[in-house]
Amino acid sequence: MAFQIGSTLLDACVLAILDEEPTYGYVLTQKVRNIVTLSESTLYPVLRRLLKDGHLASYDEPFSGRLRRYYAITKKGKALLDDYRNEWRSHRKNIEDILFGGEEND
């Protein structure tokens, strides 16, 4: 059984990965797949939306005779990621309280 991931949490995961370093779509997809089940067709609309909203920037780099599109987090994206991280801390605690009956968790 796997938990479904919502679009907001997917956005947060993408931003967090890109906060480490800029990367191109295939590598980004593989990193996200280490967290959740995801197809490339799911990820690219997320990237387009984050680009449109100014949370990401993109640039092309040559690789083996063609261009590879890289994605990087912007200042606006970093601010959104900080908001997501703060919200996640609260959300995680609330879910754990429900699932574990308020037990102390690490």
Side-chain angles (χ1 to χ4, degrees), residues 93 96-97 99-106:
K93 182 189 176 319
E96 287 178 353
D97 285 349
L99 290 176
F100 303 109
E103 297 173 8
E104 285 294 316
N105 298 300
D106 293 321

Side-chain angles (χ1 to χ4, degrees), residues 8-91:
T8 302
L9 192 52
L10 182 56
D11 289 0
C13 291
V14 167
L15 291 171
I17 290 168
L18 292 173
D19 194 38
E20 294 174 12
E21 65 180 339
T23 193
Y24 59 98
Y26 177 78
V27 169
L28 183 59
T29 300
Q30 296 309 307
K31 288 183 177 189
V32 173
R33 281 183 177 165
N34 288 335
I35 303 165
V36 297
T37 303
L38 179 77
S39 69
E40 284 185 47
S41 62
T42 301
L43 184 63
Y44 283 100
V46 171
L47 293 172
R48 281 192 297 274
R49 183 173 30 77
L50 290 170
L51 280 165
K52 182 179 80 70
D53 293 343
H55 299 114
L56 297 181
S58 67
Y59 57 93
D60 296 331
E61 291 281 331
F63 178 80
S64 296
R66 60 188 194 97
L67 292 177
R68 198 178 255 178
R69 173 139 309 156
Y70 282 78
Y71 298 91
I73 192 169
T74 62
K75 285 184 181 182
K76 187 176 178 182
K78 286 179 183 273
L80 181 61
L81 178 58
D82 286 342
D83 290 344
Y84 283 152
R85 285 176 169 157
N86 290 329
E87 183 66 27
W88 176 253
R89 286 181 185 102
S90 172
H91 182 73

